[in-house]
Amino acid sequence: MSCQTGIVASSKLATYLASNSHHSDRCIKITIEDEELQLIQNRIAAGDYESDWDRNVMVCVEDDEPCYIFYRLDQKANDGAFNYVFMSYVPMDAGVKNKMLYAATRATLKRIFGDNRIATEFNCTLREELSLQAYKNHVLSKGSAAPMTEAEKELAQVKKDEAAMRSQMSNNSATLPGLNLPATQDLLTNLEKFKKGFINYLQIKLDTETEELKLWDCANIKASELPEKVPAEEPRYHLFNFNHEFEGNNMWSVVFIYSCPGYSVPVKQRMMYSSTKACFLDSLANMDIEIAAKREISEGDEVKEVDIYEMIHPQKHASRAHFIKPKAPSRGGRRLIR
């Protein structure tokens, strides 16, 4: 499962994270350059996490430069590895492309680093929001104290996830309304990003083994790239926010596509996708994601750009021409019947 922005870890970063050397570092700075995640700085620990914070984080961050920061806390998990704070810093005046790129790549970087090592994460648009006091205020606003024990951290994360899903889905459980299948937190988070316009394409997989809905792909793509996203061997749900011109106006319209290759797909899988579809669409409506058009397809060639356009704006003139009432046949001149 991936969020495919085309961004990968550079060889330097991959080697660094694969080694054990980064465990002695207090602060790690990573940026996106040349379509790769690049290791920019790694600063060693000198004191405890509080005394090290501002002299590391605040020094390595530039006002106008987006970056990711991993900051090592002092407490360890049960396996003896340190926990980290993950910070995503994207200034308010960063270009739209940078904002979308850093937002869409964040989940990928977390997976590369190790989601289980992240005790706390937050996003910042101002440099001051990266200070130690700002971090403490962030933690306190979540109703917990820093640092926490591993057990306290796990309990707080469970409560946080449950609260986020209740808020986002207007429901009292970690499932999509009307569905028996749970949705992963990654999917819920990226549905919110899709709704806010940070990304324009989501691909959702129904995992028949775990019986949950998962994010399989998220990206910013052109309409011409959509056919390539449709798998040839497995069903998927797709959401695409189509930017186009109609009657002189620039428009964004969300289309929902259910792709199923055909009867080569196991019966159970086809039935689960088919029976889940309506409830999933209801859930999107509850999130205020308005669907302009829906289509079921068996292959990617059925959703070319012209097809998407006609899904949203059917050609009314064609149907009018088809149903024009023919003229009555001429009776000719009056005939005398003998």
Side-chain angles (χ1 to χ4, degrees):
M1 183 171 64
S2 65
C3 180
Q4 296 178 1
T5 57
I7 305 301
V8 296
S10 66
S11 57
K12 179 181 177 182
L13 176 60
T15 301
Y16 173 74
L17 294 178
S19 70
N20 291 322
S21 60
H22 69 279
H23 296 311
S24 62
D25 290 334
R26 177 68 77 183
C27 183
I28 304 166
K29 178 182 178 181
I30 297 170
T31 64
I32 300 174
E33 297 179 10
D34 300 324
E35 298 187 352
E36 288 187 329
L37 288 161
Q38 303 283 355
L39 174 64
I40 302 302
Q41 289 189 45
N42 52 300
R43 306 170 69 92
I44 63 172
D48 60 23
Y49 94 94
E50 289 192 348
S51 62
D52 279 348
W53 188 289
D54 286 339
R55 64 189 179 197
N56 283 279
V57 176
M58 302 306 290
V59 169
C60 71
V61 174
E62 303 290 339
D63 287 340
D64 57 352
E65 179 189 62
C67 66
Y68 301 113
I69 298 290
F70 287 100
Y71 189 84
R72 200 201 77 193
L73 298 174
D74 293 331
Q75 81 268 22
K76 296 182 178 181
N78 293 332
D79 60 3
F82 285 104
N83 289 325
Y84 290 78
V85 179
F86 176 54
M87 294 164 273
S88 175
Y89 173 63
V90 182
M92 295 181 67
D93 57 354
V96 174
K97 180 179 178 181
N98 266 336
K99 290 180 180 179
M100 297 176 72
L101 190 60
Y102 272 80
T105 309
R106 190 166 59 238
T108 300
L109 176 58
K110 287 166 56 181
R111 285 193 291 273
I112 294 172
F113 188 86
D115 296 79
N116 59 323
R117 298 297 175 221
I118 300 172
T120 308
E121 64 176 287
F122 58 99
N123 308 319
C124 307
T125 57
L126 299 173
R127 188 170 176 273
E128 303 82 68
E129 296 173 332
L130 295 166
S131 68
L132 175 63
Q133 188 57 54
Y135 162 68
K136 289 184 174 182
N137 292 341
H138 169 79
V139 174
L140 289 173
S141 72
K142 299 297 181 182
S144 56
M148 297 183 288
T149 65
E150 181 65 17
E152 290 172 335
K153 184 199 75 169
E154 290 179 357
L155 178 60
Q157 186 63 41
V158 169
K159 292 180 177 178
K160 176 184 175 183
D161 291 346
E162 290 177 349
M165 283 184 274
R166 284 196 299 269
S167 173
Q168 293 175 18
M169 305 304 294
S170 301
N171 193 275
N172 291 325
S173 67
T175 60
L176 293 170
L179 287 177
N180 293 323
L181 302 181
T184 63
Q185 183 62 41
D186 197 19
L187 172 56
L188 295 174
T189 299
N190 281 278
L191 280 169
E192 281 295 320
K193 292 178 182 177
F194 180 86
K195 173 184 172 181
K196 294 176 181 177
F198 291 112
I199 47 181
N200 72 351
Y201 173 77
L202 293 179
Q203 185 177 137
I204 298 98
K205 176 180 179 178
L206 194 162
D207 192 327
T208 55
E209 295 292 330
T210 60
E211 295 190 346
E212 60 183 356
L213 291 169
K214 294 181 175 181
L215 175 72
W216 190 257
D217 187 8
C218 65
N220 283 292
I221 65 172
K222 299 177 182 177
S224 58
E225 298 173 303
L226 185 57
E228 302 171 6
K229 291 288 186 179
V230 178
E233 300 177 356
E234 291 188 46
R236 290 287 191 275
Y237 296 142
H238 310 259
L239 288 171
F240 179 59
N241 198 358
F242 181 42
N243 182 219
H244 61 286
E245 296 284 334
F246 179 67
E247 296 182 348
N249 298 315
N250 184 266
M251 300 181 65
W252 291 86
S253 302
V254 177
V255 295
F256 171 82
I257 299 163
Y258 166 40
S259 64
C260 185
Y263 290 98
S264 60
V265 177
V267 174
K268 177 184 177 182
Q269 196 174 21
R270 289 204 314 269
M271 291 181 64
M272 290 186 70
Y273 269 90
S274 180
S275 61
T276 301
K277 182 186 64 174
C279 291
F280 180 57
L281 288 169
D282 289 342
S283 302
L284 296 177
N286 290 336
M287 293 184 68
D288 295 323
I289 297 177
E290 182 180 354
I291 305 298
K294 302 183 286 288
R295 173 169 288 184
E296 294 186 16
I297 63 171
S298 58
E299 58 185 15
D301 285 342
E302 298 176 54
V303 282
K304 295 178 181 177
E305 185 168 359
V306 63
D307 300 316
I308 301 170
Y309 190 92
E310 290 181 0
M311 286 166 60
I312 301 167
H313 308 292
Q315 295 185 18
K316 297 179 181 179
H317 66 274
S319 59
R320 286 198 300 267
H322 184 74
F323 292 105
I324 292 176
K325 184 178 179 180
K327 294 181 179 180
S330 174
R331 294 180 179 273
R334 194 181 290 268
R335 290 179 293 175
L336 179 64
I337 300 177
R338 297 173 184 254

